[in-house]
């Protein structure tokens, strides 16, 4: 193994160069892109995420990682339920819109095709590969983020399973598609 390109990090002092190096190296992880939605103070909140995972199938449990100071983190923390919609490769514009700095709070989802499965439920993104409605069971602070764990209470698709097969991936700082 060539160790000429190794960085060590002093746990007592993580510098800007360490943070930049970590961002660069961690962008080498291919990650699926999803949208988290929640209702907070009567408004729909939504944000794209790439840090999520299936924790267990018995009971069905998911985990998402949210920037603790973000408005979606506040919304998810205050709501008892949230949804995770897994985006397909044709939904890059949805991820871009929801990730744009300064996006409006009121009317945020107006340009995004979505459905509300029932009154009072968080919305799901239309044409997503799959969606999960989740009830929060635990929230754990982790550095600058919150790890939100929840049990799945409803799940499904808004399109037939064979209609869309390509997930929207994030790799090397850009959205990609799996071909």
């Amino acid at each position: 193994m060539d160790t000429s390109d190794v960085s060590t990090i002093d746990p007592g002092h993580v510098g800007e160069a360490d943070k930049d190096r970590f961002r660069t190296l961690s962008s080498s992880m291919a990650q699926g892109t999803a949208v988290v939605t929640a209702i907070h103070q009567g408004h729909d909140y939504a944000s794209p995420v790439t840090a999520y995972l299936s924790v267990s199938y018995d009971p069905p449990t998911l985990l998402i990682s949210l920037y603790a100071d973000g408005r979606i983190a506040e919304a998810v923390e205050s709501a008892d339920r949230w949804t995770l919609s897994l985006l397909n490769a044709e939904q890059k514009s949805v991820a871009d819109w929801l990730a744009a700095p300064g996006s409006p709070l009121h009317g945020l989802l107006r340009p995004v095709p979505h459905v509300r499965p029932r009154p009072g439920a968080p919305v799901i993104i239309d044409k997503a590969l799959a969606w999960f409605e989740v009830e929060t069971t635990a929230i754990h602070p982790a550095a600058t983020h919150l790890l939100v764990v929840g049990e799945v209470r409803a799940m499904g698709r808004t399109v037939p399973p064979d209609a869309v097969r390509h997930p929207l991936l994030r790799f090397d700082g850009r959205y990609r598609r799996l071909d």
Side-chain angles (χ1 to χ4, degrees):
M1 175 173 97
D2 179 11
T3 59
S4 61
D5 189 26
V6 173
S7 299
T8 57
I9 298 175
D10 175 2
H13 177 70
V14 178
E16 288 305 312
D18 296 325
K19 294 174 191 176
D20 290 342
R21 177 97 166 134
F22 179 78
R23 281 186 199 104
T24 299
L25 292 174
S26 65
S27 74
S28 297
M29 293 183 240
Q31 301 164 304
T33 304
V35 170
V36 173
T37 61
I39 301 171
H40 177 56
Q41 299 179 341
H43 298 285
D44 290 313
Y45 285 68
S47 180
V49 295
T50 56
Y52 61 90
L53 62 99
S54 169
V55 173
S56 174
Y57 65 87
D58 186 17
T61 304
L62 294 173
L63 177 146
I64 56 174
S65 176
L66 303 173
Y67 178 61
D69 290 337
R71 61 188 186 193
I72 191 65
E74 180 183 7
V76 168
E77 267 190 298
S78 72
D80 60 341
R81 290 187 183 217
W82 42 276
T83 62
L84 184 72
S85 299
L86 308 181
L87 298 184
N88 74 64
E90 307 305 318
Q91 294 177 302
K92 179 184 174 301
S93 63
V94 170
D96 286 341
W97 167 253
L98 294 174
S103 58
L105 172 58
H106 304 290
L108 173 67
L109 288 169
R110 207 170 282 135
V112 176
H114 63 279
V115 295
R116 191 174 308 278
R118 66 185 179 289
V123 301
I124 57 178
I125 304 302
D126 197 24
K127 296 189 172 58
L129 296 172
W131 62 268
F132 306 89
E133 184 178 331
V134 183
E135 182 176 344
T136 300
T137 57
I139 299 176
H140 305 282
T144 58
H145 284 61
L146 297 177
L147 303 179
V148 183
V149 181
E151 292 183 7
V152 175
R153 298 296 183 225
M155 59 189 157
R157 299 179 191 273
T158 59
V159 294
D162 59 345
V164 181
R165 293 215 175 264
H166 300 288
L168 181 60
L169 299 177
R170 186 115 178 129
F171 177 74
D172 199 23
R174 298 187 334 207
Y175 290 116
R176 312 281 182 133
R177 68 179 278 143
L178 182 64
D179 290 319

